[in-house]
Amino acid sequence: MPAGPLTNNDRLNADPHVPRLLDQLRARIRTKHYSIRTEDAYVDWVRRFILHFDKTHPRDLGAPEIERFLTDLAVKGRVSASTQNQAKSALLFLYRDVLGIELEWLHNVTHAKVPQRLPVVLTQTEVGRIFRQLREPYLLMSQLLYGSGMRLMECVRLRVKDVDLERLEIVVRDGKGQKDRVTMLPQACLVALQSHLRRARSLHADDLQHGFGAVYLPFALAKRYPSAAREWGWQYVFPSMKLWLDQRSNVKRRHHVDEQGLQRALKQAVRDAGIVKPATPHTLRHSFATHLLQAGYDIRTVQELLGHADVGTTMIYTHVLNRGGRGVVSPLDGR
């Protein structure tokens, strides 16, 4: 009997010798040195896109279908602008970098509305109340977020070699936009950090004795420097208490702490401190910037510490300088 026509599912997996589309996508993402989070997000969006069109191969789809998919996300799914943009980036990456197809410009996408919200900022008194509710290592991590202006994942992924205890500096590697920057290490954290690093080093020494101790290295550094993964300087400042199986290399190793642990601990601390503001770890970064501006530091200096590409992004923190709107004194206060 002659074979029937290929179904869409057959077309996605027609040749067993050709990697499946999602595997090709993962391979290309890793070639570009994107993070594992970006990889998982892109693969998920491409999978949802394919399922949205009844498992039709993306090569048989194009700009009109992408526009419909993104519009449905905004109109029916009511996703945020950042979520819609992430889906768009994933699909454009698929077509450009995996399928080798340059799409026409997407003109007919209904874009999700970008909310104009001001950042939540804590007072210094509120920050102190929250810290009193925290325990280690989340207390130290929160203090570093507030005292240096790091983002949550920048703190979680911090390596020992990038902390200079003498110069009181932290080098933030591969931050947002894949840029490095230098920020301050608060003097108030020094003793607690030194004690924490001694415990982390002891844990690392124990791992080495049991045949482990090789940490994940980015950008194929493990191949160029085979012994670096076991060196103390490359270890995470905040290591996980458990070993895990690295899905990319199939190697059992110790990763950094799960950021969700800090998120949950801070949420509970905010509640226990009786603070009604919806504070998150990122709120500590907002508070860092605002309090520096309140102290009279130049906005360009704050911009550099935060790693903002545009000073306009940093300008949003000027709304809470306790000077009223744009420095105007209320007529009620001026009577």
Side-chain angles (χ1 to χ4, degrees), residues 14 22 58 72 79 97 120 131 140 145 184 190 203 207 218 231 240 259-261 263 279 285-286:
L22 296 184
D72 281 351
V79 300
D97 292 86
V120 176
F131 286 172
L140 178 57
L145 290 178
M184 66 190 76
L190 190 56
L203 183 64
D207 284 345
E231 293 176 2
S240 169
E259 73 278 8
Q260 292 182 356
Q263 290 171 328
R285 174 175 161 90
H286 293 323

Side-chain angles (χ1 to χ4, degrees), residues 156-167:
V156 167
R157 293 171 176 159
L158 192 61
R159 309 268 184 164
V160 173
K161 69 181 182 60
D162 295 322
V163 178
D164 192 325
L165 299 176
E166 292 187 12
R167 293 172 58 88

Side-chain angles (χ1 to χ4, degrees), residues 92-151:
L92 293 180
F93 183 91
L94 169 71
Y95 278 89
R96 182 185 64 248
D97 292 86
V98 179
L99 300 177
I101 299 173
E102 286 293 340
L103 294 174
E104 59 189 84
W105 186 251
L106 305 178
H107 292 288
N108 300 316
V109 175
T110 299
H111 294 282
K113 187 175 181 180
V114 180
Q116 299 297 320
R117 295 195 180 99
L118 295 175
V120 176
V121 174
L122 299 164
T123 65
Q124 290 178 298
T125 300
E126 288 172 332
V127 170
R129 285 164 54 190
I130 291 172
F131 286 172
R132 285 192 287 274
Q133 303 298 325
L134 289 168
R135 297 294 179 267
E136 299 296 357
Y138 300 129
L139 172 59
L140 178 57
M141 295 177 72
S142 298
Q143 289 174 327
L144 286 175
L145 290 178
Y146 173 64
S148 69
M150 285 189 292
R151 299 176 178 89

Side-chain angles (χ1 to χ4, degrees), residues 13 64 78 112-113 145 153 179 190 207 214 248-249 283 315:
N13 305 278
R78 297 185 178 183
K113 187 175 181 180
L145 290 178
M153 293 310 301
K179 295 181 295 185
L190 190 56
D207 284 345
R248 287 188 170 184
S249 62
T283 304
M315 287 291 292

